[in-house]
Amino acid sequence: MALTTRGLLRLFLFLGGYIIFLVLGATVFSAIESPEELQKVQDLRKLRADFLKNHPSVTDQALEELISEIVKASNRGVSAARNASGEPNWSFGQSLFFSSTVVTTIGYGHVTPLSRSGKIFCMLYAMVGIPLTLVLLSALVERLLIPTVWLLQWLNSRLGHLYQPFNIRLLHLFIIVLILIGLFLLTPAAVFATLEPEWDYLDSLYYCFISLTTIGLGDYIPGDSANQPYRPLYKIATTGYLFLGITFMMLTLAVFYDIPQLNLGLLFSSSDETNMEKVRLAGAGMGLQYGAGSVYSPGDDNSHRQVVRVRSRRDDSPSPDEAPQMKEFQLP
């Protein structure tokens, strides 16, 4: 549906605000991280000068070539440290972990294919694996939406006579977000902080958030510390955590975007009249169904439809003596 003039104006205003947001982020990151970077550069220069002073037989050019090779190897996931773990980067556990980061688009970048054939296979594997992963995650989210809608219906049955449907849906979203934070951020962060010798709790929480949002910066990777016990098993368990966490993250986003009052994308996707009607229907309690899939009860077939009664109250704040009206609608 074509965008209206007002919709285009909103889109350009949003684009301008988004650019300002990016510039603000760049300014803050630059102000915070530049002093740390300069300090690291000074420390490395001093360390290099001290090394050349203590080892006069080593030339500056030879040291430069050695450092360059070490940096190249490190960028490809190969460590030159003597006390590095003897477990190879391409063991089955590590390879499974790498495959999961490719198909989920996390892409830490700490380990990359070294051979030309590996690079070609990685591209082909990603072309097939990413769509398959999206289908799998979408199917899992569809199943998880069923108990999620049951929870929303339970909240409506208990609180519908006291609060507006929009407020109940905000409460429902708050509960889902609490589950996400508790089960997939705070608790796993405590586990990683215990298992990783060089991570504190903030580092672990940072890793969980960066991974589940598929940002995947790659500065923290579980199981890569020296002499990590049961490294392949650890990598496989982390792979399972990433799939579960990303699935619940998608579920949370589905619940969030199904509330029209919070979905800013509706301001740009269709006409104002259609958007206002969607918001009105959701505010009247009509939006119990999340996502594109159907909400069904086990054992039901397509020939049966469930009738749900929802108390609705008009926006003009009726008097307490006015009997609430009952609306009937069908859930597919």
Side-chain angles (χ1 to χ4, degrees):
M1 188 177 296
L3 289 173
T4 62
T5 303
R6 183 175 299 180
L8 282 174
L9 178 60
R10 290 172 179 171
L11 178 60
F12 283 116
L13 289 177
F14 185 83
L15 179 61
Y18 187 76
I19 294 175
I20 295 175
F21 179 75
L22 292 178
V23 173
L24 177 61
T27 303
V28 173
F29 279 122
S30 178
I32 294 176
E33 295 298 328
S34 290
E36 291 288 334
E37 181 186 20
L38 293 177
Q39 184 62 44
K40 288 292 184 182
V41 170
Q42 294 176 1
D43 292 342
L44 286 176
R45 287 177 177 174
K46 183 178 183 301
L47 185 62
R48 175 175 179 152
D50 292 341
F51 180 86
L52 292 175
K53 180 179 180 181
N54 296 330
H55 302 81
S57 59
V58 179
T59 64
D60 183 76
Q61 182 63 28
L63 179 61
E64 178 67 23
E65 293 176 356
L66 176 62
I67 293 176
S68 298
E69 291 300 323
I70 292 176
V71 170
K72 290 179 182 178
S74 179
N75 291 336
R76 305 293 293 274
V78 179
S79 175
R82 183 169 54 185
N83 62 344
S85 174
E87 185 71 27
N89 282 329
W90 294 103
S91 64
F92 177 77
Q94 174 63 52
S95 299
L96 180 63
F97 183 73
F98 172 78
S99 300
S100 68
T101 61
V102 170
V103 297
T104 56
T105 68
I106 296 176
Y108 291 121
H110 68 300
V111 173
T112 58
L114 302 177
S115 63
R116 296 176 63 88
S117 57
K119 295 175 182 178
I120 295 175
F121 177 75
C122 183
M123 291 188 291
L124 297 176
Y125 185 77
M127 290 175 61
V128 177
I130 292 175
L132 290 178
T133 302
L134 292 177
V135 171
L136 173 62
L137 294 179
S138 298
L140 293 175
V141 170
E142 285 291 328
R143 298 305 179 269
L144 289 176
L145 282 173
I146 298 173
T148 301
V149 172
W150 288 345
L151 174 61
L152 178 59
Q153 292 174 342
W154 183 83
L155 291 174
N156 271 304
S157 65
R158 294 294 185 272
L159 304 175
H161 62 290
L162 297 175
Y163 301 101
Q164 294 287 344
F166 173 67
N167 296 331
I168 296 176
R169 298 189 70 167
L170 286 181
L171 174 62
H172 178 250
L173 174 63
F174 180 71
I175 294 174
I176 300 299
V177 171
L178 283 183
I179 295 175
L180 172 67
I181 294 175
L183 292 183
F184 297 98
L185 290 178
L186 299 181
T187 301
V191 175
F192 284 122
T194 303
L195 297 178
E196 295 293 333
E198 298 180 358
W199 295 13
D200 57 22
Y201 188 80
L202 178 60
D203 296 332
S204 302
L205 183 61
Y206 168 81
Y207 164 77
C208 293
F209 178 82
I210 292 298
S211 298
L212 296 190
T213 53
T214 68
I215 298 174
L217 295 178
D219 46 352
Y220 289 93
I221 307 297
D224 280 1
S225 59
N227 301 319
Q228 177 71 50
Y230 307 107
R231 187 187 186 197
L233 182 61
Y234 187 17
K235 291 287 188 177
I236 294 174
T238 303
T239 301
Y241 158 71
L242 292 177
F243 272 98
L244 290 176
I246 292 175
T247 300
F248 205 89
M249 180 70 74
M250 291 179 61
L251 173 68
T252 305
L253 293 177
V255 174
F256 176 86
Y257 284 121
D258 201 63
I259 304 177
Q261 294 91 334
L262 303 181
N263 189 352
L264 296 179
L266 294 178
L267 297 175
F268 319 119
S269 60
S270 59
S271 65
D272 296 339
E273 294 77 9
T274 304
N275 290 331
M276 293 305 296
E277 181 66 13
K278 290 180 180 179
V279 173
R280 187 191 68 79
L281 291 177
M286 299 288 286
L288 288 177
Q289 179 174 337
Y290 286 104
S294 298
V295 179
Y296 61 89
S297 300
D300 290 347
D301 55 28
N302 293 334
S303 61
H304 294 80
R305 293 181 179 268
Q306 180 183 5
V307 177
V308 179
R309 295 177 181 270
V310 178
R311 296 180 183 271
S312 65
R313 297 190 298 178
R314 298 197 303 269
D315 294 335
D316 55 356
S317 301
S319 63
D321 297 334
E322 181 180 352
Q325 300 176 352
M326 303 295 291
K327 291 185 178 181
E328 293 188 0
F329 61 96
Q330 293 181 338
L331 291 176

